Amino acid sequence: MEAPSSSRRRLVGQPLLYAISVFASLGVFLFGYDQGVMSGVITGPHFRKFFDNPGPIEIGTMVAVLEIGAFMTSVAAGQVGDIVGRRGTLFIGAVIFAIGGAVQTFTPGFWVMVVGRVIAGFGVGLLSTIVPIYQSEISPPNHRGALACMEFTGNVFGYTSSVWIDYFCSFIDSDLSWRIPLFIQCIIGAILAFGSLMMPESPRWLLDTDKDAEGMQVLVDLHGGDPSNEVANAEFQEIKDRVIFDRESGEGRTYAMMWKRYKRRVLLAMSSQAFAQLNGINVISYYAPRVFEEAGWIGRDAILMTGINATIYVCSTVPTWYLVDRWGRRIILLSGAVVMAIALAFTGWWMYIDVAETPRAVVVCVIIFNAAFGYSWGPLPWLFPAEILPLTVRAKGVSISTATNWAFNFLVGESTPFLQDVIAWRLYPMHGFFCVCSFVLVYFLYPETMGVPLEQMDAVFGEEELEERLEDEESERASLVSRRSSRSRLSQPVAKRTSQGPGFFSRLFGRSDRRASYEAIRDGDE
């Protein structure tokens, strides 16, 4: 199928792909900004005076209640994304986020601030779910990882921007010192809402909803604008064939079907997002100034240290742009988990011994931890779920994994101020232990997805081979029954009992030890 030609000037090829990535990154910039903006605001004297010196529970609620709203809409985002499309969901999320930012900015008191945070959370939940889906469906396989990591850099840049804005606004001797940082959320949300109207829709969603001409036009534009481009036409045919196959197979699109058919993939996607939070990043992102105050840096100096840490955090995300499509996903996650665990263990140790060098040592440890997270467990849990889930349930599966992120995000955000007071330095080795757990999980259960087209991800999980094997076993079983051979009937169970079965986690995630590794189909193999 050829795309209709268009005479008007438009971005095509790489410029279009990078323009899409920049605007999509604004979506993750927003919730990165929102994560960081409260960390500096809550330590400001005017903020504390306005809210009558809130205690740890009130602070934790104002910070973490955003995750409640994000959790709710991230669950619903799968349905919304399938109904109104990826671009429409981006627009809705940006508008809701801007409204929430306005409520926070002009709040008259604690409970209105809480409501504003929940509303902003509604927008964040939609954006954090749909942006990774949109990015993965737009990107070519050989650049999908790099573009997703660039997107995460946008998230960290949002966090860093909020920290420095908090720092410079802390010199304002009025309530504007915290209202201005909150108002900037509205401006960014409005820019994203306008930009989403200029972006193309996901070609995979268009083809899945039988808007073939529009989908083909987007693919042509992404491949340089030539309607006769062979790669664009081949990609169109591959996606459409997959859509038709899924329909003819009668495979439903419900959450129940997704769990039954793709349980292992869903659990792996959820685990990646859960450990992204349990590994301790939001102890730093939400409460970095409090961490530095705990280590000995007081007042504005704590915010300054947070800004320096955040700037290095941004820089640490850049190498992954290059490495993710060369080293692969697994080695990056494994190495990041090791460095993070060591850094958190030393953070707790320096706080425990509490010597003159502790403030500087804690800053170094936190910077190393943040850099390791930014290189590994920051970007990849947003890339991995959208990669491994098939088109029929991608929006729903990613929504579940993102909801997991926000559930654990809330858990960490709400409990951290309390735990900082109760268990003190032990908080950091505790999260270091979770880093060790994440290493074990990735080593034994995570497949490598580097360079694999989305439509061929079944081969990575051995599901095509598994289905064929089940069919062969069914035929063999029928043959054995028809011959009624007692020897054959007895020998088969014995063989099964003597073979070593999969372990508990392998059974839980549906892992097959006999699955083949993914191997691209070569010309002439078909």
Side-chain angles (χ1 to χ4, degrees):
M1 178 176 182
E2 292 191 356
S5 61
S6 175
S7 59
R8 64 185 180 85
R9 294 176 62 86
R10 64 183 187 277
L11 287 176
V12 295
Q14 293 293 331
L16 174 62
L17 187 60
Y18 290 127
I20 291 171
S21 297
V22 168
F23 269 105
S25 294
L26 275 180
V28 291
F29 179 98
L30 278 178
F31 67 86
Y33 184 92
D34 204 79
Q35 284 177 314
V37 71
M38 292 299 289
S39 68
V41 162
I42 59 178
T43 61
H46 292 285
F47 180 89
R48 300 190 65 83
K49 180 181 178 181
F50 184 86
F51 289 100
D52 195 22
N53 291 315
I57 300 300
E58 289 80 7
I59 289 291
T61 299
M62 277 193 284
V63 171
V65 76
L66 176 136
E67 277 74 55
I68 295 179
F71 174 83
M72 294 169 63
T73 51
S74 62
V75 172
Q79 294 278 18
V80 176
D82 284 341
I83 294 171
V84 304
R86 307 341 187 190
R87 186 176 63 175
T89 308
L90 266 174
F91 175 79
I92 295 170
V95 170
I96 293 175
F97 183 90
I99 294 171
V103 174
Q104 293 173 62
T105 301
F106 301 105
T107 179
F110 174 79
W111 288 110
V112 176
M113 170 65 83
V114 169
V115 170
R117 294 285 290 170
V118 172
I119 294 173
F122 290 154
V124 166
L126 291 173
L127 293 172
S128 61
T129 301
I130 212 65
V131 168
I133 297 173
Y134 181 74
Q135 185 75 71
S136 69
E137 293 183 346
I138 287 286
S139 306
N142 56 328
H143 295 305
R144 189 172 62 235
L147 291 170
C149 292
M150 292 178 190
E151 172 191 304
F152 179 75
T153 301
N155 173 273
V156 180
F157 184 65
Y159 167 74
T160 304
S161 300
S162 69
V163 171
W164 283 111
I165 289 171
D166 282 346
Y167 176 72
F168 289 117
C169 287
S170 69
F171 291 93
I172 301 174
D173 191 20
S174 71
D175 285 344
L176 291 177
S177 62
W178 59 270
R179 292 190 188 271
I180 288 176
L182 294 177
F183 179 71
I184 291 175
Q185 297 175 100
C186 308
I187 299 173
I188 304 168
I191 294 172
L192 177 61
F194 176 77
S196 66
L197 299 177
M198 311 297 292
M199 295 160 61
E201 182 55 88
S202 161
R204 285 174 169 82
W205 182 81
L206 289 170
L207 297 182
D208 195 36
T209 53
D210 294 324
K211 298 175 181 175
D212 292 2
E214 296 176 49
M216 184 63 197
Q217 183 63 63
V218 175
L219 289 171
V220 166
D221 288 345
L222 289 170
H223 288 284
D226 181 6
S228 62
N229 183 280
E230 293 183 2
V231 177
N233 281 276
E235 188 173 356
F236 171 89
Q237 196 59 52
E238 183 179 26
I239 297 170
K240 195 63 184 178
D241 287 347
R242 182 70 195 197
V243 169
I244 294 171
F245 172 80
D246 289 337
R247 289 178 183 174
E248 291 178 347
S249 67
E251 188 175 85
R253 297 181 177 225
T254 64
Y255 284 98
M257 185 286 303
M258 176 182 69
W259 178 254
K260 180 179 179 181
R261 178 72 174 82
Y262 301 107
K263 179 175 68 174
R264 182 193 172 201
R265 299 198 207 186
V266 174
L267 287 173
L268 288 177
M270 293 171 66
S271 70
S272 70
Q273 290 284 22
F275 276 104
Q277 301 306 315
L278 291 174
N279 285 352
I281 185 58
N282 279 336
V283 175
I284 308 302
S285 295
Y286 285 158
Y287 301 108
R290 284 176 60 99
V291 173
F292 290 130
E293 284 183 345
E294 190 179 4
W297 300 91
I298 305 301
R300 188 174 292 131
D301 288 341
I303 302 178
L304 177 62
M305 290 300 103
T306 304
I308 294 171
N309 169 60
T311 302
I312 298 173
Y313 187 16
V314 173
C315 296
S316 72
T317 66
V318 175
T320 316
W321 299 6
Y322 177 83
L323 298 175
V324 70
D325 289 318
R326 289 167 175 82
W327 286 9
R329 285 52 162 159
R330 281 171 50 86
I331 188 63
I332 292 175
L333 289 172
L334 292 170
S335 57
V338 170
V339 177
M340 289 158 57
I342 295 171
L344 286 171
F346 274 102
T347 299
W349 184 76
W350 279 106
M351 287 187 174
Y352 169 69
I353 62 174
D354 193 18
V355 294
E357 292 80 11
T358 290
R360 289 184 294 274
V362 167
V363 168
V364 172
C365 290
V366 167
I367 287 175
I368 292 172
F369 167 80
N370 256 131
F373 181 87
Y375 142 85
S376 59
W377 282 89
L380 296 192
W382 294 104
L383 165 66
F384 191 65
E387 279 191 321
I388 65 176
L389 291 159
L391 178 61
T392 51
V393 295
R394 183 171 297 134
K396 292 182 177 66
V398 173
S399 74
I400 293 297
S401 70
T402 306
T404 303
N405 174 283
W406 292 116
F408 281 89
N409 208 316
F410 174 77
L411 176 66
V412 173
E414 182 69 27
S415 63
T416 292
F418 175 75
L419 293 177
Q420 283 175 325
D421 290 343
V422 174
I423 65 174
W425 62 269
R426 299 172 185 85
L427 175 65
Y428 307 99
M430 182 188 79
H431 285 290
F433 169 75
F434 287 122
C435 293
V436 174
C437 293
S438 67
F439 178 95
V440 174
L441 185 71
V442 172
Y443 185 83
F444 287 105
L445 294 173
Y446 278 41
E448 183 55 69
T449 58
M450 178 179 64
V452 183
L454 298 180
E455 282 69 38
Q456 297 178 22
M457 202 60 70
D458 286 354
V460 172
F461 288 87
E463 289 172 356
E464 292 175 348
E465 176 189 341
L466 178 62
E467 289 177 357
E468 293 175 2
R469 189 165 64 246
L470 289 174
E471 290 176 1
D472 292 342
E473 289 177 355
E474 182 67 27
S475 299
E476 182 180 352
R477 188 160 51 249
S479 175
L480 289 170
V481 171
S482 66
R483 290 199 302 267
R484 297 186 178 277
S485 168
S486 61
R487 182 178 179 182
S488 298
R489 287 200 309 271
L490 292 172
S491 63
Q492 183 73 6
V494 170
K496 286 188 177 180
R497 280 195 287 269
T498 57
S499 63
Q500 183 177 357
F504 171 76
F505 288 106
S506 295
R507 290 197 303 272
L508 177 64
F509 284 84
R511 182 179 175 126
S512 170
D513 291 331
R514 289 181 288 175
R515 74 171 169 82
S517 301
Y518 170 76
E519 188 173 317
I521 297 175
R522 298 182 296 272
D523 294 340
D525 285 354
E526 297 181 0

